[in-house]
Amino acid sequence: MKVKTARRAAPAALLALPPLLAGCAPESITAEGQAIYRAYNIFMWAAAVVFGLVASLVVWSVIRYRRRDDELPRQVEGHNLLELTWTVLPFLLVIFLFVVTIRAQNTVLHNAPDALTVNVTAFQWSWRFVYEDSGRQVVGGPGNVPEMVVPVNQPILIKLRSADVVHAFYVPRTLFKRQAIPGTTNEFVLRFTQTGTFPGQCTQFCGLAHSDMLFNVRVVSQSSYQQWLSTGQAGASGSAGT
Ligand SMILES: [Cu+2]
């Protein structure tokens, strides 16, 4: 009786595994990251279906064609329908995933004319955030984790540069990372959809104090943002000046 239950539970547990593991990726805090998250999920389900199909066929053929005597089972050669099936189906799947990727990329790499521009400069070993319109800046340093304060639901255009070596701008909850490369400006738009403080870090080894290259993104309401701009208050941390 126990064996039977275990046998029944095994396929159910296998089926439950992909959604459980998918829970490992946190839901993103930006509109762009949510598009990435949806694309991840579609890839995960496509992979789960392909895995299920292939694994079932392997198990089935191992059992069905196990050795019973010295006779070879019937050999199949040049079966047009079979060959067409395993050529066309993967091709269609690749096309489908290609379209899913392009659509997600278009969302992630979009332009936003109404964006608030923040010039972000990575340097050994911290970050400088300069707000283009107001000239306000926040600079980090040893023992001082800087904070980029941004309004919720407004596109933020980040112009990412490096003052010395290659660094990388990464806020895990955005599911997005971009390198800061000397001599190049990398531009991208992030629209944060929830308020809160989210940690970020440099993810490109850039020298002795690489591990100190932390920063926070604090997403606040429009009114709190305006207040922060004019007074430097609203609980801002990090060294800030104008
Ligand atoms: Cu770095």
Side-chain angles (χ1 to χ4, degrees):
M1 194 62 191
K2 264 184 186 166
V3 176
K4 255 189 182 172
T5 318
R7 262 190 207 155
R8 261 186 226 147
L14 262 182
L15 275 178
L17 208 57
L20 280 177
L21 290 177
C24 295
E27 185 122 9
S28 180
I29 50 166
T30 59
E32 296 73 23
Q34 281 147 22
I36 295 172
Y37 183 78
R38 282 193 293 274
Y40 275 174
N41 271 343
I42 293 171
F43 268 75
M44 198 271 304
W45 281 111
V49 169
V50 170
F51 173 78
L53 194 70
V54 172
S56 315
L57 283 174
V58 168
V59 171
W60 174 76
S61 41
V62 164
I63 296 169
R64 172 76 177 76
Y65 297 106
R66 68 188 181 279
R67 184 171 178 174
R68 297 185 176 103
D69 47 41
D70 285 338
E71 295 283 307
L72 273 179
R74 191 167 64 89
Q75 303 294 297
V76 179
E77 263 175 54
H79 195 298
N80 284 345
L81 184 65
L82 270 182
E83 286 178 16
L84 210 65
T85 307
W86 66 55
T87 307
V88 170
L89 282 186
F91 180 73
L92 290 179
L93 185 61
V94 169
I95 295 287
F96 169 69
L97 294 177
F98 178 75
V99 172
V100 167
T101 306
I102 292 291
R103 285 173 60 108
Q105 257 184 14
N106 285 344
T107 307
V108 172
L109 302 177
H110 70 121
N111 286 322
D114 57 333
L116 172 85
T117 304
V118 184
N119 287 286
V120 179
T121 306
F123 59 89
Q124 286 171 315
W125 286 281
S126 196
W127 302 86
R128 177 184 294 112
F129 302 95
V130 180
Y131 293 73
E132 202 160 276
D133 290 342
S134 60
R136 186 180 173 83
Q137 65 170 308
V138 179
V139 191
N144 173 15
V145 175
E147 189 172 62
M148 179 172 84
V149 177
V150 291
V152 71
N153 283 326
Q154 183 179 348
I156 313 295
L157 170 63
I158 292 183
K159 294 185 179 172
L160 181 64
R161 297 181 181 87
S162 167
D164 36 53
V165 299
V166 178
H167 301 272
F169 177 97
Y170 181 46
V171 180
R173 289 291 305 276
T174 61
L175 306 182
F176 181 89
K177 182 172 83 165
R178 206 30 75 86
Q179 281 190 321
I181 297 168
T184 304
T185 304
N186 269 333
E187 296 189 6
F188 51 91
V189 173
L190 298 174
R191 184 165 67 82
F192 293 89
T193 53
Q194 51 175 285
T195 55
T197 300
F198 307 99
Q201 66 204 73
C202 174
T203 48
Q204 179 71 52
F205 181 69
C206 55
L208 272 183
H210 161 66
S211 60
D212 291 344
M213 272 191 77
L214 305 170
F215 63 96
N216 285 312
V217 177
R218 189 152 59 88
V219 187
V220 298
S221 67
Q222 267 295 345
S223 56
S224 300
Y225 172 71
Q226 293 304 334
Q227 191 193 351
W228 174 81
L229 262 191
S230 54
T231 64
Q233 290 308 304
S237 67
S239 76
T242 47

